[in-house]
């Protein structure tokens, strides 16, 4: 094994082990959609079942065409991948080698660090400021060695967004040799009109790519399909780099079926319901005495300090799985109203016993 791989962090699954104990937990630890597939999406997958002896379409042509049409970008500006996780990995791997630097915020999506270390590059992390990306501080950390800067908006785990103007000036101020990856896994939940739009930025800057996914708002996390929007050279590179046939025919069919106008309307209703619940849970927690940043994603971030692990364990004892964050916070996914109520009940119950608020 290459020695630098010793430093690779382990993935911490949000799901409790199913062996032995309780298995019917309320799953609020992995930012999944609480809703199962739409009937039309289920039917599109079923229609593919008899064909699984065949390899899928290599480039996901129909899906790429549909996405390009909806996003109003050329077809050669879109690549699909095995979840946006795979695209993050391929991009960092392609642009950063041994000793190069990759800049991202802390806390942000843990995969950035993991992949950076795996490639032998050096993670350069910049603390959030009031739970938001500190773009000025990030720009200040860019050097001749910087190859990639990742901006996660809405940020996982804090839910905060970068502003459109702010991100535009940031990109304009960076040297052209730096690739800016705007990770928009939760973009569909954003209801702030001043928020940055990575796809619009990628259309104007050849060194910017936007990443989106079918895993979160589209409710297809288990199928593994995400996409990249960026310059044709980068799209081509990612197509050549990715695991061949990584996006299965089932995943392609489900994603494509999710993009019909009827499906998008149904999905939009689900997103609206989650956003409404997010605001309800936020207001309740605030009224209970917690202070928390305004989230634009399908989760909330509770900075409870050193109590986070005990808090999460106590929620788990009450049947609710939430994610403790190592910096001293809880990340709680927004589920159905009933699931959120179960979390709120646990939170109210737990907070005095762990001394929270
Ligand atoms: C969930 C998530 C992803 C990746 O999801 P995939 O399932 O691999 O598409 C990417 N970035 C962030 C910030 C996420 O939270």
């Amino acid at each position: 094994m290459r020695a630098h791989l010793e430093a690779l962090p382990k993935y911490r699954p949000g799901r409790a082990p199913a062996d032995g104990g309780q298995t019917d937990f309320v799953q609020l630890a992995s930012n999944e959609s609480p809703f199962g597939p739409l009937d039309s999406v289920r039917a599109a997958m079923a229609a593919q079942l008899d064909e699984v002896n065949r390899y899928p379409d290599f480039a996901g042509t129909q899906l790429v065409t549909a996405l390009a049409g909806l996003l109003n970008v050329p077809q050669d500006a879109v690549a699909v991948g095995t979840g946006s996780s795979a695209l993050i990995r391929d991009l960092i791997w392609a642009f950063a080698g041994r000793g190069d630097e990759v800049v991202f915020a802390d806390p942000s999506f843990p995969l950035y660090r993991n992949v950076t270390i795996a490639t032998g590059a050096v993670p350069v992390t910049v603390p959030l400021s009031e739970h938001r990306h500190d773009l000025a501080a990030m720009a200040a950390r860019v050097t001749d060695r910087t190859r990639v800067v990742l901006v996660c908006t809405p940020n996982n785990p804090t839910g905060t967004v970068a502003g459109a103007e702010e991100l535009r000036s940031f990109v304009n101020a960076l040297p052209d040799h730096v690739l800016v990856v705007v990770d928009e896994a939760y973009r569909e939940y954003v209801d702030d009109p001043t928020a940055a739009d990575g796809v619009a930025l990628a259309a104007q800057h050849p060194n910017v790519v936007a990443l989106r996914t079918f895993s979160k708002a589209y409710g297809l996390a288990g199928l593994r399909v995400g996409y990249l929007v960026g310059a044709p050279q980068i799209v081509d590179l990612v197509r050549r780099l990715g695991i061949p046939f990584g996006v299965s025919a089932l995943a392609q069919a489900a994603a494509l079926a999710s993009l019909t106008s009827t499906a998008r309307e149904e999905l939009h209703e689900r997103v609206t319901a989650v956003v409404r619940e997010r605001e309800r849970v936020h207001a309740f927690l605030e009224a209970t005495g917690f202070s928390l940043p305004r989230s634009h994603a399908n989760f909330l971030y509770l900075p409870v300090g050193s109590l986070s692990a005990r808090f999460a364990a106590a929620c788990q004892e009450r049947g609710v799985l939430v994610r403790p964050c190592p910096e001293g916070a809880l990340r709680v996914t927004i589920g159905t109203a009933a699931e959120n109520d179960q979390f709120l009940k646990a939170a109210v119950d737990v907070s005095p016993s762990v001394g929270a608020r």
Side-chain angles (χ1 to χ4, degrees), residues 31 82-86 88 109 112 152 156 183 185-186 213 215-216 221 224-226:
N31 295 346
T82 316
S84 51
S85 298
I88 292 166
F109 194 40
Y112 306 155
C152 186
N156 179 2
D183 183 352
Y186 302 95
T213 179
S215 295
K216 306 287 162 53
R224 317 305 303 125
V225 50

Side-chain angles (χ1 to χ4, degrees), residues 190-212:
V190 174
D191 54 359
D192 175 354
T194 68
D197 180 338
V199 169
L201 212 53
Q204 290 155 0
H205 298 268
N207 63 325
V208 176
V209 299
L211 299 180
R212 293 186 182 175

